[in-house]
Amino acid sequence: MSQAPLRIVVIDENQVRAAILEDGLRAAGLTDLHIIRETTHLLRRIVAIDPDVVIIDLENPSRDVLEQMFQVSRMVSRPVAMFVDQSDTASIEAAIDAGVSAYIVDGLRKERVKPILDMTISRFNAFSRLQRELNEAKSALEDRKVIERAKGILMRTRGLSEEEAFVLLRQSAMNEKKKLAEIAQSVVTAASLFGG
Amino acid sequence: MTISELGPGIEVDAPRRARAAQPRTVRAGFIPLVDASVLIVAAELGFAEREGVRLDLVKDVSWSNIRDRLAFRQFDVAHMLNPMPIASQLALGSNPFPVIAPFSLGLGGNAITLSVDLYRQMQEAAGLAGAEDAMANGRALKAIVEGRRARGEPMLAFAMTYPFSSHNYEFRYWMGAAGIHPDRDVRMVVVPPPLTADALLAGAIDGFCVGAPWNMLAVEAGVGRIVATKPDLWPSSPEKVIGVRHDWAELNRETLAQLIVALDAAARWCDEPGNRDILASILARPAYIGAPVEILKRVLSGEFTVDPNGTMRQVDDYFVFHRKLANFPFVSHALWTYSQMVRWGQTGLSAKGLAAATAAYRPDIYRAALAGRTTPLPLADSKREGEPNAVVPSDHGGVAMGPDAFCDGRLFDPAEIEAYIAGFEIHNRDCAPGDAVTADN
């Protein structure tokens, strides 16, 4: 069993996520890293790199290309297996939940691979969290914009102050058990229909 | 839309249970392909709900994901390539869990498409006029393959979608019948279906075998020429199945039976020509296939544009969703698939292997779910495959299977599987599993 640093291939078309993962792996001292974003001639490129571990995101349809590695193992000098150890289903489940899969060469000790998989899972989850927060922030910004427009419409058509317009929107939202932004959106829609 | 508004084909049996107390949610993974129709229709048009099943469809991008999400319980059932449950029982590939197939989603749907340029070379070499059958096209391809070898040119690269796929075995069968060795004369690679037309255009591959609508889309994009369809190679060859984890099947027998009744009714609906336009418009939605509705309509009715010049070809029974016992999981289908796995060196022939392949298909579950209903149940679990105009005995009388010959005229008798496999001159049996070809991608 060689103790040479593990060579890792990361296949991810999402550049931001790949960068987050790369950062984590490098910080853990895994510097023999190869990031593949373009999946044409994927198998040929993997064979040329001859990695110990291949990490691929589950949104990538090219994952099926990797399955061919099991069939054509003469071309990869060492047999490859998916990171499936029937005794460790929790870890593979966590990987699938996080949206990632890993393939390792046969004979690699589990202790050497486990930290890599754990790191990958946590970085993938961190990316999802980031994405979710970004989406929430975006939608909060959109909400604020539509509320501002609705307030403006109410101030203009009903002769209200900004404060009064906001109170009216909030009161309607509470009465109708809707979100403030939804009520604001209906004000904006109605105004456009009535030429307000 | 409710079932009473669905139009023809709804000669229905009574629901399996008068009314389920609480609908059971079944999560089902699928790949956006026309052969997922039965599953999609069961969810979309209320057939599942009528049986007390809430079918929750989840679209996915790769067969590997489908396999793993089923194994690790993100899915309860899944739209699968028929060799996948067999491979899982044989522990081939990176299969983490054994899966069974209690229902076939129908027959047909694939085709082999070559690049326009390669077909033009075949026309020149063999004087093809354009209306030749699949075998004549295969022989023309052989002439090209030999010419390239004589001139020392690189091998042609052909794509399929997954190592354990009907596409892989069909493409290989066609080449083998034409005298081409798929592991020595050409390179076989995997390309995901949505990328096939682009790969052809980029010259990364010279042809592919894939399900609908991708062949027609490659032709429409001006890059592909269809040279064989699945019915040309073997009309009642198996295609997709419903894959189920065996432990889930054990724990949810009633739900699985209800699901099979729903799928049976949905399949019958899909087979009705009068429903094909509605079916095409459902499949066209982005949540399902997201392809142009006109192309889907033509695919469903087998009206093929085979080349970019607009040459038309009518393929009868390109899709069979319910007729001809299309949903019955014939053990002979599983064994034929196993015979091809052995032929191409993916596994060896053994009593254990035969038992594992047989265990992948579960006609007993299908029979129990549909007993006493209007859908005919064949009297035997296996049949001789490739027999033209066979009539298969069933509890509703004989079912005519139509012209069902293999393109090379062979017959597959599951009782004679060893002799059948030995009869192929072109094979890769000597190749130990895991020590296969020198392909690259």
Side-chain angles (χ1 to χ4, degrees):
Chain A
M1 181 72 53
S2 127
Q3 280 297 325
L6 293 179
R7 184 174 303 152
I8 301 172
V9 164
V10 174
I11 305 160
D12 195 341
E13 286 169 320
N14 187 314
Q15 295 201 20
V16 177
R17 187 170 51 201
I20 291 175
L21 180 57
E22 182 178 0
D23 180 61
L25 292 170
R26 282 192 193 284
L30 296 153
T31 51
D32 197 355
L33 269 182
H34 304 257
I35 313 284
I36 298 181
R37 296 195 180 88
E38 203 5 82
T39 53
T40 38
H41 301 301
L42 181 60
L43 215 47
R44 185 185 295 171
R45 294 165 72 179
I46 294 175
V47 171
I49 297 168
D50 191 24
D52 300 291
V53 179
V54 178
I55 293 166
I56 183 166
D57 73 288
L58 295 189
E59 295 154 37
N60 200 324
S62 293
R63 202 184 153 208
D64 282 345
V65 176
L66 296 186
E67 291 300 313
Q68 212 186 5
M69 288 196 298
F70 302 100
Q71 297 303 306
V72 290
S73 49
R74 187 187 292 165
M75 47 183 292
V76 276
S77 51
R78 299 164 295 172
V80 177
M82 186 191 164
F83 189 80
V84 174
D85 178 342
Q86 295 290 9
S87 64
D88 190 19
T89 47
S91 141
I92 192 80
E93 262 185 275
I96 288 169
D97 279 341
V100 67
S101 171
Y103 296 80
I104 59 167
V105 298
D106 225 9
L108 213 54
R109 284 212 324 277
K110 196 175 151 189
E111 307 85 79
R112 296 193 71 198
V113 185
K114 185 84 165 73
I116 298 175
L117 192 69
D118 288 346
M119 159 76 70
T120 304
I121 293 167
S122 82
R123 293 279 158 152
F124 261 67
N125 284 334
F127 175 77
S128 305
R129 213 157 43 236
L130 203 68
Q131 187 121 46
R132 203 163 48 239
E133 283 165 11
L134 193 67
N135 289 341
E136 280 166 10
K138 255 192 213 154
S139 103
L141 190 66
E142 291 300 314
D143 286 359
R144 257 208 314 281
K145 275 191 205 154
V146 74
I147 292 165
E148 287 305 316
R149 285 181 63 196
K151 275 197 306 194
I153 291 165
L154 292 176
M155 286 157 70
R156 202 165 63 245
T157 56
R158 305 266 309 259
L160 303 177
S161 72
E162 188 178 351
E163 174 72 21
E164 287 166 332
F166 183 73
V167 169
L168 181 60
L169 283 172
R170 199 181 54 193
Q171 195 57 49
S172 310
M174 281 163 63
N175 292 347
E176 305 213 0
K177 296 191 172 61
K178 283 186 174 157
K179 283 169 66 184
L180 188 58
E182 290 176 53
I183 294 294
Q185 184 59 55
S186 39
V187 170
V188 172
T189 307
S192 73
L193 289 176
F194 292 116
Chain B
M1 189 155 9
T2 66
I3 289 181
S4 57
E5 296 168 319
L6 289 178
I10 308 303
E11 153 227 345
V12 286
D13 293 305
R16 190 175 166 88
R17 289 160 64 178
R19 188 164 294 272
Q22 194 72 29
R24 275 292 313 271
T25 298
V26 174
R27 292 160 307 168
F30 76 99
I31 297 285
L33 290 165
V34 175
D35 53 34
S37 288
V38 170
L39 193 57
I40 291 169
V41 161
E44 189 67 34
L45 297 184
F47 291 104
E49 218 168 323
R50 197 170 59 107
E51 302 301 328
V53 174
R54 217 181 72 84
L55 201 47
D56 198 356
L57 295 188
V58 184
K59 183 155 131 176
D60 214 320
V61 298
S62 72
W63 295 113
S64 315
N65 283 4
I66 289 272
R67 180 200 59 210
D68 295 344
R69 290 192 159 129
L70 186 65
F72 293 101
R73 295 175 169 72
Q74 290 188 358
F75 299 151
D76 300 316
V77 307
H79 170 226
M80 274 190 162
L81 295 154
N82 95 292
M84 290 173 74
I86 299 162
S88 82
Q89 296 282 346
L90 291 161
L92 296 178
S94 55
N95 277 292
F97 207 81
V99 166
I100 55 170
F103 189 92
S104 152
L105 287 167
L107 309 170
N110 298 340
I112 297 171
T113 298
L114 303 181
S115 76
V116 169
D117 187 46
L118 175 56
Y119 183 74
R120 195 184 41 73
Q121 294 170 32
M122 285 159 54
Q123 281 188 298
E124 282 168 13
L128 299 181
E132 284 76 10
D133 66 12
M135 288 307 293
N137 289 335
R139 286 189 293 270
L141 178 62
K142 181 175 166 64
I144 299 296
V145 165
E146 283 177 347
R148 292 178 75 98
R149 187 175 23 225
R151 291 189 298 274
E153 290 169 7
M155 286 192 278
L156 295 168
F158 290 138
M160 33 81 186
T161 57
Y162 194 71
F164 306 104
S165 64
S166 40
H167 317 92
N168 189 17
Y169 306 130
E170 276 159 23
F171 209 163
R172 287 167 173 271
Y173 196 94
W174 177 66
M175 281 193 265
I180 301 165
H181 196 303
D183 291 319
R184 293 180 196 149
D185 299 339
V186 301
R187 292 191 294 122
M188 295 294 283
V189 301
V190 168
V191 172
L195 308 182
T196 45
D198 285 349
L200 207 55
L201 181 63
I205 54 172
D206 301 290
F208 56 78
C209 181
V210 69
W214 301 104
N215 295 283
M216 190 96 93
L217 289 170
V219 172
E220 293 288 325
V223 299
R225 200 327 172 158
I226 295 174
V227 292
T229 67
K230 191 168 168 101
D232 299 333
L233 305 177
W234 175 21
S236 74
S237 57
E239 187 46 51
K240 300 299 187 301
V241 293
I242 286 290
V244 184
R245 274 195 329 276
H246 67 77
D247 61 328
W248 189 89
E250 278 301 312
L251 292 170
N252 299 277
R253 283 184 197 193
E254 182 69 12
T255 307
L256 181 55
Q258 289 165 269
L259 178 66
I260 289 172
V261 172
L263 292 172
D264 173 68
R268 187 178 306 193
W269 185 90
C270 289
D271 237 2
E272 199 57 50
N275 295 332
R276 293 279 166 101
D277 282 3
I278 307 177
L279 176 56
S281 63
I282 293 171
L283 296 177
R285 294 180 199 161
Y288 299 125
I289 299 178
V293 68
E294 280 312 314
I295 291 204
L296 291 168
K297 271 185 202 171
R298 281 170 34 213
V299 164
L300 285 166
S301 55
E303 285 169 36
F304 269 88
T305 317
V306 293
D307 65 28
N309 303 329
T311 307
M312 295 298 294
R313 187 186 156 199
Q314 176 62 44
V315 181
D316 292 332
D317 284 346
Y318 183 55
F319 273 104
V320 178
F321 291 114
H322 187 266
R323 286 166 299 125
K324 297 185 178 179
L325 309 169
N327 308 123
F328 189 81
F330 278 107
V331 170
S332 41
H333 281 171
L335 292 176
W336 182 81
T337 303
Y338 175 59
S339 80
Q340 300 305 297
M341 291 173 164
V342 174
R343 178 184 179 187
W344 302 118
Q346 287 182 325
T347 187
L349 179 66
S350 65
K352 211 174 143 209
L354 278 169
T358 304
Y361 266 45
R362 294 296 298 274
D364 56 316
I365 296 177
Y366 180 92
R367 286 180 188 286
L370 294 171
R373 292 174 173 264
T374 50
T375 295
L377 297 173
L379 300 185
D381 287 345
S382 270
K383 58 183 166 79
R384 293 218 310 168
E385 301 291 350
E387 207 158 20
N389 302 311
V391 176
V392 176
S394 85
D395 60 349
H396 287 62
V399 179
M401 303 304 283
D404 192 30
F406 283 94
C407 59
D408 59 357
R410 279 175 208 270
L411 271 178
F412 174 59
D413 182 345
E416 306 286 336
I417 187 166
E418 194 168 356
Y420 178 77
I421 296 169
F424 290 107
E425 283 142 35
I426 292 181
H427 64 84
N428 209 10
R429 289 202 305 278
D430 320 324
C431 183
D435 186 32
V437 286
T438 50
D440 58 344
N441 188 10

